[in-house]
Each structure stands twice: as C-alpha cells, then as structure tokens.
Amino acid sequence: MLDRIPLSYYALSGLLNFLASLVLSAFVISKNSRSKINRIFFIFALGASGWGLFHFLWLSTKDNQVLADFFLRTVMVFVILVPATFTHFILCLLNVERSRKINIINYSISIFFVLTAYTSWFAHDPP
C-alpha cells in the first residue's frame, strides 16, 4: 500500500516539518530570549527544523547518489542530536536536580555518534 504513495509526498512532509519548526523556534525565542527554557527549546526546534530540511533535500535528490548519501547522513546528525536537546529541555522545564550530569552524559553519547555519522562505522558507503 505504501509503495503507491509518490516519494514527493514524503519530501513535502520534511519541508513542512522544516517550516513549522523554524517558525515555532523563531516565535519562542522572540517571546523571551533571556529565558533558559526558551533558549533550550529554540535549539531543540532548530534541530527538528534541520532534520526536516535535510529530509526534504535527501528525498528531493534525484540522480546523484553521493549527494543523497550526504543529505541522508546529515539527516542522521539531527536525528542523533534532537533527543539530547529534547531531554535537556524537559530536565530544565522540570528543574531536575542532577540534570547537569544527565545532560553531559547525553550530549557526550550524541557527539560520539555524530562524529561517526559520515564514516562507514555508522553506515556502509554506497556502492
């Protein structure tokens, strides 16, 4: 059933995600840029918008496999970073006591995987 849906619909969902997240991040930071919670949510929403942008670019790339691979790996960078920023936002919102240690561990793991996103450790290179 899903094989009958044109690929352009999936690409458009990435573009809509990019635009909605970008507008939301701009709105939140414009309301109070000095608030720590707003700044962290801004970073989280920017990560989601980057995810949407590169998802759109990946699915919009037609006959260039090298460029498509680059866009896919860049999508994965945002996929890796978004959960860490979301956790940081939630811990800040809930004012959790040991959130600093959790965030350091969380971001360290994320940065490790981001550093491997463009290598064959993360995924095999295209043939």
Side-chain angles (χ1 to χ4, degrees):
M1 182 173 136
L2 290 177
D3 56 340
R4 295 184 200 147
I5 298 173
L7 201 57
S8 61
Y9 290 151
Y10 295 112
L12 286 177
S13 72
L15 184 61
L16 288 175
N17 180 17
F18 164 67
L19 294 173
S21 298
L22 192 64
V23 168
L24 180 63
S25 66
F27 175 75
V28 167
I29 202 68
S30 71
K31 288 299 177 185
N32 186 0
S33 62
R34 293 185 178 177
S35 168
K36 183 178 180 181
I37 293 174
N38 286 23
R39 287 189 313 243
I40 295 169
F41 184 83
F42 171 74
I43 294 168
F44 163 68
L46 274 183
S49 68
W51 181 356
L53 175 65
F54 283 99
H55 186 263
F56 168 73
L57 292 173
W58 167 52
L59 292 176
S60 298
T61 304
K62 295 296 179 202
D63 295 325
N64 190 339
Q65 188 174 5
V66 173
L67 190 59
D69 183 59
F70 170 77
F71 288 148
L72 179 59
R73 288 175 185 268
T74 306
V75 164
M76 296 313 294
V77 167
F78 290 103
V79 168
I80 293 165
L81 292 174
V82 164
T85 57
F86 181 71
T87 304
H88 189 174
F89 168 69
I90 294 299
L91 293 174
C92 184
L93 184 67
L94 298 177
N95 202 14
V96 174
E97 282 183 28
R98 296 184 181 182
S99 65
R100 182 167 169 80
K101 287 182 181 180
I102 295 169
N103 286 329
I104 289 171
I105 292 168
N106 219 359
Y107 282 114
S108 297
I109 293 169
S110 295
I111 288 170
F112 169 76
F113 283 109
V114 164
L115 292 174
T116 66
Y118 296 98
T119 68
S120 60
W121 288 2
F122 193 80
H124 292 288
D125 292 329

